[in-house]
Every structure is written in C-alpha cells, then in structure tokens.
Amino acid sequence: MTILDASARTGRGLLTGDRYREELADGRELYLDGERITDPARHPAFRPAVDTLADLLDLQHEPEHQDLLTYKDPGTGLRLARAYQPPRTLEELRLQRRSAEFWHAAAFGQHGRSPAFMASIAVGVHDFRHQLDRARPGFGANADAWYRHCATNDLVLSHALGDPQIDRSTDPVDDPDLALRVLKENDVGIVVRGAKQLTTLAPLAHEVLVYLSASFTQRRGEQFVVWFALPLNTPGLVTLCREPLGAEAWGHAHPLGARYDEQDAMLFFDDVLVPWDRVFLLRDGALARTGLARINAWSAYIGHVRYRERLRTLLATATLVAESIGVDGFRNIQEDLGRLASYAELTEIFLDAAEARATLTDGGLLAPGDTAASRVWSAEVADGAVDVLRRIGASGLLMQPTEKDLAHPRLRPFLDRYMRGKDIDAERKSRLLRLAWELVGDGFGQRQHLYELVHRGDLARNRINLFKRYDQSEVRHRLEKLVSGPFPEASETAATSPAGPPEERP
C-alpha cells in the first residue's frame, strides 16, 4: 500500500476553516518581497484571503447547505466536498454546477481558482486513469490514489502548467532551462528541475498538480513531458509570490482584493524528487495532449459557472452606478447594460448546452459537452464586459473619499454637498464607486481582467483549433455539388421558376 492509498483510507473528511489555517503552516518554502513566510494564514498579506476561504469551507458543515455542498462517499462513508464527486448521471453533474454556483455567488465570481475548480480537475485525472495505465502500468493506479487522497482529505489544490517567459523564440531542447524537465529516474522516483508560472492559489493550497499547457509542441524532447502532483512543502520546491493586490494603503479599503486575491506564484523546482506513486504520465507527448482536454472537461464547465457570476456582478454594479449618478434612463446606457445582460444570459445558455451535450467517458463518468467555442467567446467579450462599467463610472471611479475622509468633520459637509448622488448619500455612493474601481481599475481589477484574457489559453490558438476540428463536411459537400457544374443563366432560372416568367406574374 502506498502513502497515498493509506491517506485515502484514513482521510479526515471535510475541511473546517480552522483546520485549513493550521495545515498551511506546513514548513513550505514560501517567499514574499524577500521574506520567507512561515505561516500564510497569519501573515497580513494573506490572512484576509485565507479567512475568506476558511469561511466558505465552514459552510460545508452547516446543515442547510450540507446536501448541496457535500455528498456521502459510498466507499469510505465520509462526507466529501460535492466538487470531488465523480458525476455519473445528469443529476450529479447538475448538482456539481449548483454547488459551484453557491460558492461563486458568495465570492462574486472573483475566485477563478476556487477549490471547486481544482477539485474538478482531480476528478478529470481520476477519469483518465485507464488511459494513463495503458501507457505505463501503475500510473493509472497512482492517479486514482492521488484523487482519493485529495477527496477524502478535502485538499485545496493548485495547478502549474505554463513555462517561464525567458525566450519563447528558442526551443527548450536547445536551452533546457526554458521548461521543467526530468533530470533522471531512480528506484525512488524522478528528479525534476525548472520552473512553472503562473501558479494561481499556490501559496494558499495544500498541493500542486503539474502538467503541460496547450502550448506544448511536438518538437520538445521527451524529458519535458511529465505529469505529477506534490505537496507544496516538498523539499526543493520554492514558491515566490507576486505583490499582494488587496493590501490597504493610505486608508483606501479594498474589500474585494483583500478577500479574493488568490495570489499567483512562480514555482522553482530545485532538483525535486517526485516519488513514483505521485507520477501519472512520463515521456508520452501524444497522451499528454489528449489528456489535457479530458482532465479539464469538468473544470471548463465549472469555469463557466464562475464567469457567469462575474458577469452578473459587473452588470449589477454597473446598474447601481448608473442609478447613483442618474444616467440609468439614458438610451445609450441602457443599451450598454443590455449588452452586459446578454453576456450573462449567454453564459447560462452555454452551461445548459454543455449539460444537454454531456457524454459518457471511457472512465464511466458523465462529462459536459465540448465548451471550446464558449471559452473562445468568453475571452472575446471580456474587454467589452469591463468597458461597460468603466465607461458608465467614468472619472467618478477615480476620485472617491475614504472612510476617514467621510469621518472628518471639516471634509464631511463638502462631501455631503458635492459628492452625493441621485437618491444616494455620499457615504454609500463612495463605497459603491470604490467597489466598481476594484472591479475594473485598480491592481486587483486589472489582474482579474488579465486572468479572463489568458487563463483559457492563447485565444488565437484556441480559434485555430476550433476551426480545425469543426465539422464542415455536410455543408461543404452541398456547396461543392452546387459549384461542380455551370450555373444556369438568369433567363433560364426565371423560366423554370415556380412563379413563372416575370411577364406572367400578377
């Protein structure tokens, strides 16, 4: 029995917020601004985001939410997070969606890499286990054991796909530091060296799943083809955080950034030993490319749930801002809001379509229908979605008083007179527009928008792939048949028209 098998058999079940906080202090090598962070849950840069995740995890234990957010695992008898349930029926797939809707509504659609998102990728790894095992016996069992280890301990996961941006014009075969690679194999496992970006949620997660992004090409050598998972406190694994985006400065509160900044990180693998029971795929580029779509089938679906909630948040905020300055009755403003409402509605339709087109996999699970086209659409409308709120708020998004400004006796009369809105006082209006600024203007808002543009992969490549696999055969056949012979002259067409020649028409 492997360590992962034993962990799955003795799993601790659903996380509580307190247990989650404690488990982050695991000795990982985590750095922020040149400082090693030993306890992320208690560090001021991470604490608000950790507390938000902890509060959401605690909701799993409340009786009124239990049946939606959790399920009873028949194998262990434990209650597990709904996101870890392998869906075998349409009802189970829809329960996964409703559970994710609950989570993302609580987070206003700002948690791109929520535990629900990554749990669905673990489900995908579990589903793909048979193909992994056919490629190399034992790898499928490893994947299944890792999934059960994550599910029965309710682990918060991250994933690492992208290579560092050093020199994209050079192939990693010529400069091995351009991509994570396998240095050697031994009786214990494999040794890997390199880096991965941009690993969202890594500083706040238990484990990271490492695999290849869609930018992987056939040219790369087999030493770059590897899938594995590791705890983030693995010796030799170094995590470097970017600048936090929710920190308060000069009294300006950041309620969204503080709560929902998931943190992004670089991971450095300094000759890290990956035990064999944590390796799922090795030196098989074709299987890696096939597996990428398979293991992400459910995460793409859950990603649409999150995007729907983000669009709903942008729409509601834009409407409130328009009302606060008295422009909600203007035709052009209503048109903009209608465009944003159409985006939110279409995302709902895409989810319904994914369910309607769901199919059984060879792993026995029900996978949502292909979401490739809707993912392309989502990236295409991302600019327009934030632009609606930005244009309605205009300069008002930039200049709003802080809570201390509002409390100042000298300033407050000016604020009440000159910074109020239509049927809204200066205090509420300032908070509303500061919230809007966070969504579309400040560092957090810009990071969230950039996430929408890049996290689904390169847009041009996705369009090309969609074009290449779209079935045009039937309409091409009809068109080719139409153009295979000479077109009739106009006079011949008129003579044979059911309506008769022009002179005979009434």
Side-chain angles (χ1 to χ4, degrees):
M1 180 185 298
T2 68
I3 294 174
L4 290 180
D5 285 321
S7 174
R9 289 174 182 269
T10 60
R12 301 178 67 184
L14 293 171
L15 270 175
T16 64
D18 286 342
R19 194 179 111 209
Y20 170 59
R21 292 183 185 92
E22 291 168 5
E23 290 176 353
L24 288 178
D26 57 6
R28 67 187 61 196
E29 195 170 352
L30 173 67
Y31 293 90
L32 171 66
D33 193 28
E35 173 191 0
R36 183 166 180 179
I37 310 300
T38 58
D39 191 349
R42 289 170 176 78
H43 190 280
F46 305 108
R47 186 172 57 239
V50 171
D51 287 345
T52 297
L53 283 167
D55 290 344
L56 290 168
L57 291 165
D58 278 336
L59 293 176
Q60 299 179 122
H61 298 270
E62 295 186 2
E64 64 266 39
H65 304 311
Q66 185 181 72
D67 289 339
L68 176 63
L69 300 181
T70 71
Y71 76 105
K72 192 169 184 179
D73 178 48
T76 62
L78 292 170
R79 278 233 160 241
L80 305 179
R82 177 72 67 184
Y84 275 114
Q85 183 178 17
R88 292 179 171 83
T89 66
L90 187 57
E91 178 56 28
E92 288 178 348
L93 186 63
R94 286 173 173 164
L95 275 170
Q96 205 180 63
R97 170 179 170 178
R98 291 201 293 272
S99 174
E101 284 174 342
F102 180 93
W103 179 287
H104 288 301
F108 297 99
Q110 303 305 307
H111 268 163
R113 287 298 181 264
S114 71
F117 177 90
M118 281 306 304
S120 68
I121 294 181
V123 168
V125 172
H126 162 75
D127 178 63
F128 200 56
R129 65 194 183 280
H130 300 300
Q131 293 200 40
L132 295 173
D133 207 62
R134 282 195 291 270
R136 185 177 295 199
F139 280 0
N142 292 350
D144 184 53
W146 177 74
Y147 156 75
R148 290 185 291 107
H149 160 67
C150 296
T152 56
N153 290 283
D154 201 14
L155 298 187
V156 175
L157 304 175
S158 179
H159 67 165
L161 293 87
D163 299 321
Q165 291 174 313
I166 299 173
D167 183 356
R168 295 283 170 91
S169 68
T170 302
D171 194 281
V173 172
D174 302 317
D175 183 353
D177 283 339
L178 298 181
L180 183 79
R181 68 190 187 278
V182 178
L183 289 180
K184 59 184 177 181
E185 304 176 25
N186 56 39
D187 292 341
V188 181
I190 62 174
V191 177
V192 297
R193 179 188 294 173
K196 282 287 185 180
Q197 71 168 41
L198 189 60
T199 313
T200 300
L201 201 68
L204 312 182
H206 294 97
E207 295 208 4
V208 61
L209 173 66
V210 178
Y211 55 111
L212 297 170
S213 73
S215 60
F216 169 77
T217 67
Q218 189 68 46
R219 291 187 302 152
R220 293 192 179 178
E222 63 177 14
Q223 72 268 32
F224 301 105
V225 182
V226 61
W227 289 9
F228 61 88
L230 286 174
L232 281 152
N233 65 348
T234 298
L237 178 53
V238 179
T239 304
L240 174 64
C241 302
R242 60 154 168 77
E243 178 186 6
L245 300 174
E248 295 188 11
W250 303 104
H252 288 74
H254 298 267
L256 294 180
R259 290 175 174 86
Y260 306 119
D261 182 15
E262 300 173 302
Q263 256 297 340
D264 305 295
M266 288 289 295
L267 296 185
F268 304 115
F269 295 82
D270 188 18
D271 293 6
V272 172
L273 175 65
V274 183
W276 279 119
D277 67 346
R278 284 180 164 275
V279 180
F280 312 139
L281 185 151
L282 189 62
R283 306 184 191 283
D284 191 335
L287 186 63
R289 284 187 292 276
T290 300
L292 180 66
R294 277 289 301 277
I295 70 173
N296 284 286
W298 292 271
S299 67
Y301 170 71
I302 297 302
H304 275 310
V305 173
R306 195 271 319 160
Y307 192 48
R308 166 186 173 268
E309 194 58 38
R310 173 170 166 80
L311 290 170
R312 281 160 46 92
T313 297
L314 287 169
L315 173 60
T317 305
T319 303
L320 288 168
V321 169
E323 292 172 352
S324 77
I325 57 176
V327 299
D328 53 304
F330 293 6
R331 181 180 176 86
N332 63 311
I333 298 297
Q334 292 182 348
E335 182 185 7
D336 281 344
L337 293 172
R339 183 182 303 110
L340 198 44
S342 75
Y343 295 165
E345 180 68 15
L346 281 169
T347 308
E348 185 84 15
I349 292 170
F350 292 145
L351 287 164
D352 293 341
E355 292 169 0
R357 296 182 174 189
T359 57
L360 281 173
T361 70
D362 57 7
L365 302 189
L366 192 69
D370 186 16
T371 58
S374 51
R375 293 199 306 273
V376 166
W377 173 87
S378 297
E380 288 174 337
V381 303
D383 281 329
V386 297
D387 194 49
V388 169
L389 177 53
R390 190 182 293 123
R391 285 190 289 109
I392 292 174
S395 61
L397 299 176
L398 292 171
M399 183 59 242
Q400 293 300 324
T402 69
E403 296 297 316
K404 290 182 179 179
D405 292 333
L406 290 161
H408 198 285
R410 170 64 172 155
L411 292 173
R412 186 58 186 258
F414 294 117
L415 303 182
D416 287 337
R417 185 172 185 178
Y418 298 115
M419 300 197 77
R420 59 190 170 86
K422 179 185 178 183
D423 302 323
I424 185 172
D425 60 30
E427 192 166 325
R428 289 189 62 197
K429 181 189 172 191
S430 69
R431 291 173 185 160
L432 172 62
L433 268 76
R434 278 186 279 148
L435 189 72
W437 173 245
E438 266 202 288
L439 283 170
V440 301
D442 74 355
F444 174 77
Q446 293 302 311
R447 182 269 174 198
Q448 298 299 88
H449 180 50
L450 182 60
Y451 175 88
E452 299 300 345
L453 298 177
V454 303
H455 88 274
R456 300 173 185 90
D458 179 70
L459 181 57
R461 185 194 63 239
N462 290 344
R463 286 176 177 141
I464 292 167
N465 288 340
L466 186 62
F467 159 68
K468 286 182 175 179
R469 69 169 179 262
Y470 188 82
D471 184 5
Q472 301 185 60
S473 57
E474 189 272 335
V475 70
R476 279 175 60 99
H477 174 73
R478 288 190 284 114
L479 288 171
E480 287 168 353
K481 184 178 179 181
L482 180 64
V483 301
S484 62
F487 289 161
E489 295 297 330
S491 57
E492 296 177 33
T493 304
T496 58
S497 168
E503 62 274 13
E504 296 179 8
R505 295 176 195 167

